[in-house]
C-alpha cells in the first residue's frame, strides 16, 4: 500500500460526498457524520500509511497492521471504483449533450425520467447515493482502527519529503558513465583467443565444424556483459553470420529458432512449424561460418531438455568449419548437457567475483557522475571500501549500490547504506533488495509492475510509461507545468540512472531489460500484488484476492476458466497463441473483472466479445495483432479510455471497415495507434496528444482537415498525404498552429509517380517552429518544402530522418540548425549534397550540435556541400557516430570530427583517408567493401 493511493482518493471521496449531499432534496445525516469523521481521520491514516510503506520489516512483524492496511486498500479501491462510475456518468451525459440527439418524441420520456429521479432522491433511494453511502461507511469503519497504530508513527513524513526531493535531484544529475568491462579484461582475452583458434578436436560427428565454450557463473557476475563486449569486437566481423539469442527460463524450441532467423533476417518469421523453422535456419547457415551466442540458459540435464536442444542445434550442423557457439548459464549442469548433445569436450570459463579494488572502481563509476564530483567527495572513500566488502565481488551489486549511493553524496546516507542489513557473504539478493528499499515510494510500484512480465522481457519506454499512467502510478509535480507523461519519463530515467534497467539498441529500436536477479528480487518483494502465470500448467497462489496485476502466457485454457478468483485485478495482460478459442472465457472475464484499468490481449482472436464494454474503468487497451475482425461497438462506450493501441494483423483480413464509426466517442483518449485505414471523424478527439496515425482518404471524415482543431497533439504520424484532393487543402490541417507538436512523421504511399503536386502538399504541411523531430518517408517530390529551407522555421529540430525520397536533389541547409543531434539520410539516389551558401569572410560552425550521422544509398552524392565549404570554422564538432554506406561517389571528409567514437564505412569509393590520422585510438572503426581505400592503420 503506497501513500498516494490513499491521499487523492480519500480527498476526492470526501469532497464528492459533500457535493453530492448538497444536491439532494433531503440531507443524509448519517453519511454527513461519516464524511466528517473521514476528514478528521485523513491525516492520521496518511501518517500511518506513510510510516508502514517505508518500514517493511515493521509491517512484516505486525500482522495486525498488515491486515489493516489490506482492509484499507480494499475500501479505498472500492471507493475509487464508485467515484469513477460517477465520473463515467458525467462523461456519458456530456457526450449526449454534445451530440444534441434529443428529439421531440423523447421529451416526455425524459421529463418522466427526471421526475422519477427527483422522487427517488426525496425518498432517499437514489442508487448512486446508496453506493456512495456504502463505500463511505466501509471506509469509515476501517478508518476507525487507525488509532491502534498511531504510536508507530515517527519520522515517516520527513523521510517521505527526502525521497521526493531525491526524485528531483535525480533529474538534475548527468548521465551515467559507459558500461566499461572492469575486471574482466583477462576473461575477454581468453574468449577472443578461443574464437581465433581453430578446433583442435578431430571429429567426424554431426557438429564437427562447430566449437562450444560455456561461460558459467552466479547471477550478476557479468557473464552477459562479457559476451556483449566480445560480440561487438572488431574481430567477430570475420564470421559470415552472427546471432545473439536470449534463451531465458521460459525455453521454447520454436521461439529460439525463430529468434535465430530474426537475428539473421532482421524481420520476424511467419513460419510456425518446427520442421519449417529448422529447414529455413539450415538454409541460412549452410556452408557459412557463424558465431552464435546463447545467453542465459536455465534448462538442466533432464532427458526432455536434451531432446529440445537437439531440435534447436540440428539445423546448425550445416555450418562451415570454424563456427563457434558461446553460451552463458548459472548452472554447470547446463554446460555439461549441451556439450553431451553436441558430443563436444566440455570447455568452461568460470566467472568468479571481482577483486575488491575492481569492484570499488565499478561502484565509484556509478556513484559519481564524473571525476570532479568524486574528487570533491574524497571523505566518502573509506565508507565505500567498507561497503564493497559486503558485495561479494558482484558487478551487478556494485552497479546497483552505486545507484543507491549517487542520490545523496553525504556521509550520513552512505553510512546508513553500510549499516543496513545487507546480509551474509554471497547474499547478492539482499544487496539488490536494498536498492528497492531505498527507492522513493512512487518508484517502487512502477518497478514492481515490471515484475509481472517474463524474465528478459524487452520493455518499450514509451509504452511502459503509458501503462504506469493508466494505473495511476504517476504523480506530476507542480514545477514548471510538468505533464503526467513528462513525470512518467522522469520516473523511468531515474530507474535507468540507478542501473535498475539495462539499455539495449539494435538497428530498429531501443529497448530495456531488467537483469534476471533484479527481476527475481522484485517478484519476491511484491508477489502479493504482482503475479504471473507462465507455462502450460496453472500456478496456484495462496491469496489470489491480494493480486492486482496479472500476466498470463499459457496454452492451458483452464487458467482462463478460473480467472474469476482474481477478483480485484487492476491490470491483465494475456498472451495466448493457440488454436482453441478463448471467446467464452474472455466473455466471463469481462463480466467478472470490472475493476480493470489496463488490458492487453495478444491472441489471434476470430471475435472479441461485446462484453468488453463492461470494463468501464479501462484507461489502457492494447490489441497486439489480436483481432481478425472489426472491434466490437461496445468499445465506443469506454469513455475513460486514455490509450488505445489496435495494431491488427493484416494477414488475416483486408476488411477496411474494422473500426466502428462511434469510436470518436472516446474523448479522453491521449494516445491512439491504429492500422490502416484509420478512424472516422477522428478530429472529434480534441484531447488526443499522440496519433499514429491519420490515414488520409478523399472521403468525408477521413480528410486531412480532421486535424484542424486537434491542438493538443504532441506526436503525429500522417499516412498517404498524396490522397489530399487539392494541395491547398493541406493548409486546413493547420500544423503551423499546433504549438505542442514536437514529433511529426509524413509517410507517403508506395506510388512511383513523381509530381510537383507532392511538393505543394508538403509546402502546405508546414509545422510550428517548436517541432523537434521530423521524419519523411517515400516522398515523391523533386525538392524539399519551402519551409525546410528557412532555418528560422525549423530551428528547434533535434532529429531528422529522410528515407526513400527518390527524386529529391538538394538537401536543405540542415548544417545551420543549432540543436540538430541526429540526421538519417537513406535511399535518396538523386541527392548531390547539402545546400551551402555563405559569404567569403564567414566563419561558420557546420552542424554545431550533430552527434549521429547516417548516410545510406545516396549514390549521386559527391561533394558534402553544393558550394565550396572553405569558410567553416569547425566541421562536425560534436559528432560521435558516423555511418556511411553505399555512397560510391562521395568524396572523403576534409577533416576528422574531433569527438568521433564510432565510424562505419561500407562500399564507399574513397582511395585515401588521410583525415583518419587524427582519429582517437578509442574510436571503434568498421570498414567493409572498400577495396581501393588506403588509410593509416592504428597500432
Amino acid at each position: 500500500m503506497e501513500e498516494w493511493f490513499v491521499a487523492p482518493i480519500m480527498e476526492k471521496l470526501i469532497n464528492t460526498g459533500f457535493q453530492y449531499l448538497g444536491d439532494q432534496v433531503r440531507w443524509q445525516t448519517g453519511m454527513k457524520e461519516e464524511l466528517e469523521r473521514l476528514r478528521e481521520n485523513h491525516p492520521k491514516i496518511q501518517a500511518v500509511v506513510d510510516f508502514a510503506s517505508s518500514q517493511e520489516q515493521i509491517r512484516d512483524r505486525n500482522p495486525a497492521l498488515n491486515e489493516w492496511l489490506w482492509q484499507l486498500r480494499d475500501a479505498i479501491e472500492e471507493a475509487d471504483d464508485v467515484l469513477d462510475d460517477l465520473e463515467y456518468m458525467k462523461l456519458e451525459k456530456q457526450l449526449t449533450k454534445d451530440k444534441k440527439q434529443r428529439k421531440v418524441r423523447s421529451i416526455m420520456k425524459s421529463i418522466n425520467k427526471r421526475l422519477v429521479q427527483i422522487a427517488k432522491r426525496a425518498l432517499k433511494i437514489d442508487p448512486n447515493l446508496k453506493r456512495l453511502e456504502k463505500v463511505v461507511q466501509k471506509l469509515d469503519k476501517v478508518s476507525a482502527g487507525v488509532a491502534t497504530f498511531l504510536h508507530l508513527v515517527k519520522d515517516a513524513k520527513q523521510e517521505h519529503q527526502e525521497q521526493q526531493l531525491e526524485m528531483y535531484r535525480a533529474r538534475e544529475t548527468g548521465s551515467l558513465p559507459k558500461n566499461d568491462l572492469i575486471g574482466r579484461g583477462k576473461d575477454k582475452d581468453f574468449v577472443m583467443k578461443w574464437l581465433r583458434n581453430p578446433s583442435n578436436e578431430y571429429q567426424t560427428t554431426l557438429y564437427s565444424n562447430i566449437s562450444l565454450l560455456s561461460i558459467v557463473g552466479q547471477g550478476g557476475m557479468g557473464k552477459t556483459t562479457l559476451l556483449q563486449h566480445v560480440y561487438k569486437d572488431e574481430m567477430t566481423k570475420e564470421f559470415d553470420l552472427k546471432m545473439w539469442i536470449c534463451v531465458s527460463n521460459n525455453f521454447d524450441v520454436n521461439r529460439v529458432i525463430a529468434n535465430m532467423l530474426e537475428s539473421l533476417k532482421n524481420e520476424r518469421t511467419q513460419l510456425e512449424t518446427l520442421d519449417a523453422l529448422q529447414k529455413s535456419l539450415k538454409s541460412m547457415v549452410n556452408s557459412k561460418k557463424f558465431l552464435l551466442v546463447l545467453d542465459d540458459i536455465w534448462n538442466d540435464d533432464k532427458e526432455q531438455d536434451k531432446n529440445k536442444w537437439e531440435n534447436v542445434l540440428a539445423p546448425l550442423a550445416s555450418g562451415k568449419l570454424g563456427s563457434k557457439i558461446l553460451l552463458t548459464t548459472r548452472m554447470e549442469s547446463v554446460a555439461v548437457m549441451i556439450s553431451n548433445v553436441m558430443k563436444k569436450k566440455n570447455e568452461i570459463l568460470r566467472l568468479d567475483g571481482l577483486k575488491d579494488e575492481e569492484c570499488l572502481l565499478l561502484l565509484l563509476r556509478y556513484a559519481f557522475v564524473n571525476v570532479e564530483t568524486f574528487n570533491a567527495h574524497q571523505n566518502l572513500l573509506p565508507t565505500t571500501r567498507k561497503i564493497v566488502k559486503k558485495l561479494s565481488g558482484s558487478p551487478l551489486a556494485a552497479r546497483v549500490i552505486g545507484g543507491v549511493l549517487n542520490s545523496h553524496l553525504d556521509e550520513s546516507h552512505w553510512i546508513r547504506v553500510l549499516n543496513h542489513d545487507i546480509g551474509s557473504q554471497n547474499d547478492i539478493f539482499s544487496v539488490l533488495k536494498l536498492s528497492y528499499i531505498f527507492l522513493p515510494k512512487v518508484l517502487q510500484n512502477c518497478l514492481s509492475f515490471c515484475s509481472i512480465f517474463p524474465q528478459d522481457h524487452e520493455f518499450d519506454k514509451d509504452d511502459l510509461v503509458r501503462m504506469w499512467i493508466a494505473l495511476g502510478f504517476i504523480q506530476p509535480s507542480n514545477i514548471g507545468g510538468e505533464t503526467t507523461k513528462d513525470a512518467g519519463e522522469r520516473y523511468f530515467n531515474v530507474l535507468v540512472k540507478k542501473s535498475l534497467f539495462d539499455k539495449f539498441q539494435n538497428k530498429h529500436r531501443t529497448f530495456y531489460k531488467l537483469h534476471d536477479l533484479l527481476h527475481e528480487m522484485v517478484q519476491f518483494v511484491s508477489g502479493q500484488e504482482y503475479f504471473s502465470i507462465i507455462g502450460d500448467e496453472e500456478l496456484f497462489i495462496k491469496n489470489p484476492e491480494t493480486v492486482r496485476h496479472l500476466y498470463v502466457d499459457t496454452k492451458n485454457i483452464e487458467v482462463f476458466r478460473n480467472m474469476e478468483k482474481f477478483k480485484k485485478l487492476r491490470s491483465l495482460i494475456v498472451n495466448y497463441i493457440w488454436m482453441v478459442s478463448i471467446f467464452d472465457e474472455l466473455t466471463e472475464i469481462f463480466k467478472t473483472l470490472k475493476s480493470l484499468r489496463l488490458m492487453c490481449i495478444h491472441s489471434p482472436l476470430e471475435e472479441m466479445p461485446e462484453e468488453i464494454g463492461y470494463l468501464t474503468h479501462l484507461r489502457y487497451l492494447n490489441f497486439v495483432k489480436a483481432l481478425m475482425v472489426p472491434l466490437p461497438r461496445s468499445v465506443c462506450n469506454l469513455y475513460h479510455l486514455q490509450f488505445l493501441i489496435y495494431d491488427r494483423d493484416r494477414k488475416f483480413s483486408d476488411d477496411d471497415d474494422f473500426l466502428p464509426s462511434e469510436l470518436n466517442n472516446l474523448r479522453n483518449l491521449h494516445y491512439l495507434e491504429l492500422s490502416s485505414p484509420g478512424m472516422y471523424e477522428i478530429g472529434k478527439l480534441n484531447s488526443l496528444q499522440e496519433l499514429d496515425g491519420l490515414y488520409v482518404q478523399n472521403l468525408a471524415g477521413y480528410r486531412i482537415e480532421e486535424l484542424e482543431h486537434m491542438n493538443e497533439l504532441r506526436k503525429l504520424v500522417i499516412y498517404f498525404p498524396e490522397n489530399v484532393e487539392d494541395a491547398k487543402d493541406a493548409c486546413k490541417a493547420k500544423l503551423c498552429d499546433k504549438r505542442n507538436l514536437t514529433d511529426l512523421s509524413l509517410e507517403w504511399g508506395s506510388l512511383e509517380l513523381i509530381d510537383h503536386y507532392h511538393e505543394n502538399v508538403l509546402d502546405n504541411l508546414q509545422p510550428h517552429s517548436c517541432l523537434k523531430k521530423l521524419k519523411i518517408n517515400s516522398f515523391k517530390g523533386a525538392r524539399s518544402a519551402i519551409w525546410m529551407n528557412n532555418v528560422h522555421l525549423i530551428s528547434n529540430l533535434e532529429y531528422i530522418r529522410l528515407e526513400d525520397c527518390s527524386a529529391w536533389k538538394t538537401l536543405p541547409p540542415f548544417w545551420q540548425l543549432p540543436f540538430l543531434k541526429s540526421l538519417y539520410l537513406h535511399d535518396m539516389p538523386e541527392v548531390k549534397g547539402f545546400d551551402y551558401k555563405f559569404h567569403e569572410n564567414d566563419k561558420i560552425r557546420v552542424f554545431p550540435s550533430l552527434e549521429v550521422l547516417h548516410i545510406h544509398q545516396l549514390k549521386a552524392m559527391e561533394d558534402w556541400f553544393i558550394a565550396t565549404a572553405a569558410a567553416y570554422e569547425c566541421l562536425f564538432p560534436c559528432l560521435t557516430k558516423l555511418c556511411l554506406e553505399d555512397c560510391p561517389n562521395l568524396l572523403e571528409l576534409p577533416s576528422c570530427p574531433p569527438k568521433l567514437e564510432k565510424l562505419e564505412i561500407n562500399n564507399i569509393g574513397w582511395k585515401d583517408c588521410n583525415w583518419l590520422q587524427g582519429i582517437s585510438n578509442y574510436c571503434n572503426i568498421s570498414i567493409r567493401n572498400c577495396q581501393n581505400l588506403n588509410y593509416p592503420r592504428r597500432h
Side-chain angles (χ1 to χ4, degrees):
M1 164 68 69
E2 298 296 341
E3 80 287 349
W4 48 265
F5 267 117
V6 178
I9 297 174
M10 278 198 70
E11 186 175 345
K12 184 177 179 181
L13 178 65
I14 293 167
N15 293 338
T16 302
F18 278 118
Q19 180 182 0
Y20 205 92
L21 284 175
D23 294 337
Q24 305 306 303
V25 176
R26 296 173 60 183
W27 279 84
Q28 306 295 314
T29 307
M31 183 172 163
K32 181 181 179 182
E33 292 173 354
E34 290 155 355
L35 288 170
E36 292 286 5
R37 282 197 298 271
L38 282 180
R39 178 176 284 170
E40 182 181 346
N41 282 331
H42 188 188
K44 302 172 186 177
I45 295 170
Q46 190 67 58
V48 172
V49 172
D50 285 348
F51 175 74
S53 61
S54 64
Q55 302 291 332
E56 181 185 7
Q57 67 277 14
I58 298 289
R59 199 165 67 237
D60 292 342
R61 296 172 196 160
N62 194 328
L65 173 61
N66 199 46
E67 183 179 356
W68 180 80
L69 287 169
W70 277 110
Q71 290 174 354
L72 178 65
R73 176 159 192 167
D74 288 343
I76 286 289
E77 289 183 347
E78 191 173 333
D80 190 30
D81 283 350
V82 171
L83 293 172
D84 214 46
D85 284 337
L86 293 175
E87 192 67 31
Y88 180 90
M89 293 173 60
K90 289 181 182 179
L91 293 171
E92 187 175 41
K93 183 178 180 181
Q94 184 62 45
L95 182 67
T96 304
K97 182 179 179 181
D98 290 345
K99 287 187 172 182
K100 297 180 180 180
Q101 291 180 337
R102 297 176 181 175
K103 297 183 180 180
V104 175
R105 64 177 179 266
S106 65
I107 290 179
M108 290 305 299
K109 182 179 179 181
S110 298
I111 292 175
N112 291 336
K113 185 176 180 181
R114 189 173 180 184
L115 289 172
V116 169
Q117 289 176 341
I118 293 173
K120 284 184 177 181
R121 288 181 181 178
L123 296 171
K124 305 179 187 179
I125 58 172
D126 185 336
N128 296 316
L129 178 60
K130 288 294 182 183
R131 291 186 66 200
L132 197 59
E133 278 184 315
K134 184 178 178 181
V135 295
V136 168
Q137 289 167 359
K138 182 174 182 178
L139 190 54
D140 177 51
K141 184 178 179 180
V142 175
S143 301
V146 70
T148 309
F149 309 106
L150 281 174
H151 68 282
L152 297 172
V153 179
K154 296 178 181 178
D155 301 320
K157 185 174 181 180
Q158 181 180 351
E159 182 179 345
H160 170 68
Q161 291 172 343
E162 288 178 358
Q163 288 190 325
Q164 291 302 310
L165 285 173
E166 178 186 339
M167 288 284 290
Y168 299 107
R169 279 195 293 263
R171 180 168 61 174
E172 294 167 2
T173 57
S175 60
L176 288 172
K178 294 181 180 177
N179 185 18
D180 296 331
L181 195 64
I182 295 175
R184 297 297 184 201
K186 291 182 179 179
D187 297 311
K188 182 186 175 185
D189 291 342
F190 176 88
V191 178
M192 299 308 300
K193 183 178 179 181
W194 178 84
L195 286 176
R196 291 187 182 95
N197 288 342
S199 172
N200 56 8
E201 297 180 68
Y202 177 74
Q203 295 180 321
T204 57
T205 61
L206 182 64
Y207 300 102
S208 56
N209 287 346
I210 307 172
S211 300
L212 172 70
L213 176 65
S214 302
I215 316 297
V216 179
Q218 293 181 358
M221 284 298 158
K223 302 182 294 294
T224 299
T225 301
L226 169 63
L227 290 194
Q228 285 172 342
H229 282 264
V230 168
Y231 194 77
K232 71 179 183 181
D233 192 278
E234 189 73 17
M235 176 263 161
T236 62
K237 291 185 171 65
E238 297 175 6
F239 291 91
D240 301 318
L241 303 173
K242 290 169 61 178
M243 296 170 278
W244 181 290
I245 308 301
C246 182
V247 180
S248 195
N249 59 350
N250 187 25
F251 175 52
D252 179 81
V253 173
N254 288 30
R255 180 178 61 83
V256 171
I257 298 177
N259 288 345
M260 290 184 190
L261 290 170
E262 183 176 6
S263 181
L264 295 172
K265 296 180 178 180
N266 290 323
E267 61 181 22
R268 193 66 183 170
T269 180
Q270 298 297 320
L271 302 175
E272 296 180 357
T273 67
L274 175 61
D275 182 61
L277 289 165
Q278 286 179 320
K279 287 179 179 177
S280 180
L281 180 59
K282 182 178 180 180
S283 67
M284 290 288 291
V285 302
N286 188 43
S287 300
K288 299 286 180 62
K289 180 181 173 183
F290 66 80
L291 170 63
L292 169 63
V293 175
L294 296 169
D295 187 39
D296 197 24
I297 303 178
W298 286 73
N299 304 73
D300 55 21
D301 56 354
K302 296 177 182 178
E303 194 62 35
Q304 62 180 13
D305 293 325
K306 285 184 180 180
N307 294 334
K308 288 181 178 179
W309 278 108
E310 286 171 352
N311 285 329
V312 169
L313 298 171
L316 303 174
S318 61
K320 186 178 179 181
L321 180 65
S323 295
K324 306 279 185 175
I325 296 179
L326 290 164
L327 67 86
T328 72
T329 181
R330 296 189 197 180
M331 300 171 286
E332 189 167 331
S333 59
V334 167
V336 172
M337 176 193 66
I338 294 187
S339 63
N340 288 340
V341 168
M342 298 181 66
K343 294 181 172 56
K344 290 286 179 181
K345 176 183 175 182
N346 188 24
E347 291 189 81
I348 292 179
L349 172 62
R350 292 180 178 83
L351 293 192
D352 298 317
L354 300 178
K355 296 177 181 178
D356 281 355
E357 286 302 313
E358 296 168 337
C359 196
L360 175 65
L361 179 58
L362 185 58
L363 186 150
L364 293 176
R365 289 286 183 95
Y366 285 85
F368 295 100
V369 175
N370 50 45
V371 175
E372 291 76 15
T373 308
F374 170 67
N375 290 336
H377 294 85
Q378 287 290 301
N379 62 309
L380 298 175
L381 193 55
T383 305
T384 313
R385 291 186 182 278
K386 293 176 183 178
I387 292 173
V388 165
K389 293 288 186 183
K390 295 189 173 187
L391 302 186
S392 306
S394 166
L396 176 63
R399 286 170 44 204
V400 169
I401 292 299
V404 172
L405 296 172
N406 69 13
S407 56
H408 298 289
L409 298 182
D410 60 85
E411 194 166 9
S412 61
H413 175 66
W414 289 45
I415 291 174
R416 189 155 68 105
V417 172
L418 172 64
N419 292 335
H420 204 281
D421 183 19
I422 292 182
S424 60
Q425 189 75 357
N426 296 322
D427 190 4
I428 304 304
F429 195 83
S430 61
V431 176
L432 300 180
K433 188 177 178 183
L434 187 65
S435 68
Y436 181 87
I437 293 171
F438 275 84
L439 275 179
K441 300 179 189 69
V442 292
L443 291 184
Q444 289 181 358
N445 258 2
C446 293
L447 188 61
S448 294
F449 175 72
C450 299
S451 70
I452 69 173
F453 294 88
Q455 282 192 4
D456 294 302
H457 179 78
E458 297 179 358
F459 291 98
D460 176 85
K461 173 183 175 180
D462 294 333
D463 196 45
L464 185 57
V465 167
R466 288 191 283 268
M467 292 182 181
W468 289 344
I469 293 172
L471 295 171
F473 291 172
I474 307 300
Q475 297 294 305
S477 73
N478 297 321
I479 303 172
E482 184 180 53
T483 66
T484 307
K485 183 184 178 183
D486 294 336
E489 291 178 348
R490 175 166 55 82
Y491 285 20
F492 188 89
N493 292 336
V494 171
L495 293 174
V496 172
K497 177 180 177 294
K498 291 181 177 296
S499 301
L500 298 174
F501 279 105
D502 291 324
K503 183 178 180 179
F504 296 85
Q505 194 155 7
N506 58 27
K507 291 184 178 180
H508 304 289
R509 66 188 184 103
T510 299
F511 59 91
Y512 298 82
K513 288 186 180 183
L514 280 176
H515 189 282
D516 51 12
L517 274 182
L518 282 167
H519 185 273
E520 291 174 38
M521 179 274 296
V522 180
Q523 271 191 331
F524 176 78
V525 298
S526 56
Q528 281 188 299
E529 297 180 45
Y530 302 87
F531 196 68
S532 56
I533 299 173
I534 299 176
D536 295 340
E537 296 182 6
E538 182 176 357
L539 300 180
F540 294 94
I541 182 171
K542 186 177 180 181
N543 297 312
E545 289 195 1
T546 68
V547 175
R548 296 316 198 255
H549 310 278
L550 181 64
Y551 180 99
V552 180
D553 185 353
T554 183
K555 296 177 182 177
N556 183 0
I557 198 169
E558 292 300 320
V559 172
F560 300 100
R561 290 172 180 166
N562 295 318
M563 195 75 75
E564 71 277 358
K565 65 184 178 182
F566 298 100
K567 295 179 180 178
K568 299 178 180 178
L569 279 185
R570 311 297 264 192
S571 56
L572 176 61
I573 300 173
V574 173
N575 190 14
Y576 178 81
I577 311 296
W578 198 238
M579 294 177 289
V580 181
S581 171
I582 57 170
F583 178 87
D584 293 337
E585 288 70 26
L586 282 178
T587 300
E588 292 305 312
I589 287 172
F590 296 155
K591 289 179 179 179
T592 307
L593 307 180
K594 295 182 181 179
S595 293
L596 285 172
R597 265 64 176 171
L598 181 150
M599 183 84 194
C600 181
I601 301 177
H602 184 187
S603 179
L605 302 173
E606 295 183 357
E607 188 176 0
M608 176 62 66
E610 283 284 348
E611 284 77 6
I612 196 172
Y614 283 107
L615 305 181
T616 56
H617 300 295
L618 273 182
R619 265 68 174 174
Y620 176 102
L621 181 57
N622 188 343
F623 300 106
V624 186
K625 288 184 169 57
L627 296 182
M628 309 178 199
V629 294
L631 278 178
R633 292 189 61 179
S634 58
V635 170
C636 305
N637 299 327
L638 303 178
Y639 304 131
H640 281 305
L641 205 60
Q642 295 176 323
F643 309 101
L644 175 59
I645 302 169
Y646 186 15
D647 182 16
R648 68 169 180 162
D649 198 328
R650 296 282 295 187
K651 72 178 182 178
F652 291 117
S653 173
D654 291 324
D655 180 18
D656 286 341
D657 187 22
F658 72 104
L659 288 178
S661 59
E662 298 89 353
L663 204 61
N664 53 41
N665 287 350
L666 306 180
R667 305 295 171 85
N668 275 328
L669 276 180
H670 291 168
Y671 177 88
L672 180 61
E673 182 178 335
L674 295 174
S675 298
S676 174
M679 182 193 294
Y680 176 70
E681 291 187 347
I682 201 171
K684 293 182 178 180
L685 303 180
N686 291 334
S687 297
L688 207 60
Q689 296 174 6
E690 298 182 65
L691 173 58
D692 181 1
L694 175 75
Y695 293 84
V696 179
Q697 301 181 52
N698 187 21
L699 294 171
Y702 296 95
R703 295 192 174 99
I704 194 78
E705 54 261 39
E706 288 294 319
L707 295 170
E708 181 176 1
H709 301 295
M710 300 177 72
N711 293 323
E712 297 300 316
L713 285 172
R714 294 167 175 260
K715 179 180 179 180
L716 172 63
V717 183
I718 300 177
Y719 293 97
F720 312 123
E722 68 271 17
N723 289 337
V724 174
E725 184 177 14
D726 188 321
K728 294 180 181 179
D729 291 341
C731 295
K732 297 178 182 178
K734 293 189 176 180
L735 298 188
C736 58
D737 293 339
K738 303 188 190 316
R739 302 179 62 89
N740 297 313
L741 186 63
T742 59
D743 187 339
L744 174 64
S745 297
L746 302 171
E747 303 276 346
W748 264 256
S750 57
L751 298 174
E752 296 298 327
L753 179 65
I754 306 299
D755 196 321
H756 293 302
Y757 172 78
H758 301 287
E759 299 166 4
N760 297 331
V761 171
L762 186 58
D763 287 339
N764 292 328
L765 289 175
Q766 176 185 334
H768 193 275
S769 60
C770 291
L771 194 71
K772 294 182 178 180
K773 194 170 184 178
L774 175 65
K775 299 179 188 176
I776 299 178
N777 189 21
S778 300
F779 176 63
K780 304 308 176 187
R783 63 165 176 83
S784 60
I786 295 173
W787 50 267
M788 294 178 72
N789 290 282
N790 185 334
V791 175
H792 298 292
L793 297 179
I794 56 173
S795 60
N796 287 298
L797 279 174
E798 298 176 4
Y799 177 103
I800 299 174
R801 186 181 190 97
L802 305 178
E803 189 166 359
D804 190 24
C805 300
S806 54
W808 211 322
K809 298 184 182 299
T810 304
L811 294 168
F814 293 148
W815 54 270
Q816 296 185 55
L817 297 178
F819 306 114
L820 184 64
K821 294 180 179 179
S822 301
L823 177 59
Y824 295 82
L825 305 171
H826 290 192
D827 302 324
M828 303 176 70
E830 300 296 323
V831 164
K832 302 291 185 182
F834 291 97
D835 183 9
Y836 191 104
K837 299 175 183 177
F838 60 93
H839 299 290
E840 187 69 27
N841 296 324
D842 284 348
K843 293 295 181 183
I844 298 173
R845 291 171 66 86
V846 178
F847 288 107
S849 301
L850 195 68
E851 297 173 1
V852 177
L853 175 60
H854 279 233
I855 300 181
H856 174 72
Q857 288 193 352
L858 271 66
K859 296 184 177 180
M861 189 171 178
E862 298 178 357
D863 282 324
W864 287 82
F865 300 100
I866 299 298
T868 304
Y872 61 79
E873 177 184 313
C874 185
L875 180 64
F876 301 124
C878 297
L879 195 69
T880 59
K881 183 176 181 180
L882 175 61
C883 298
L884 306 173
E885 186 172 1
D886 293 332
C887 303
N889 299 310
L890 181 63
L891 298 178
E892 68 171 296
L893 278 171
S895 64
C896 176
K899 296 184 179 180
L900 198 62
E901 296 175 1
K902 185 171 184 179
L903 173 65
E904 295 181 2
I905 301 175
N906 183 15
N907 189 24
I908 301 296
W910 296 348
K911 294 183 179 179
D912 295 303
C913 203
N914 295 321
W915 59 272
L916 280 178
Q917 291 178 340
I919 208 164
S920 167
N921 287 330
Y922 297 102
C923 182
N924 184 0
I925 301 177
S926 171
I927 298 178
R928 294 177 292 156
N929 302 319
C930 300
Q931 293 85 356
N932 300 322
L933 177 60
N934 295 312
Y935 67 96
R937 305 279 175 170
R938 295 183 297 180
H939 300 286

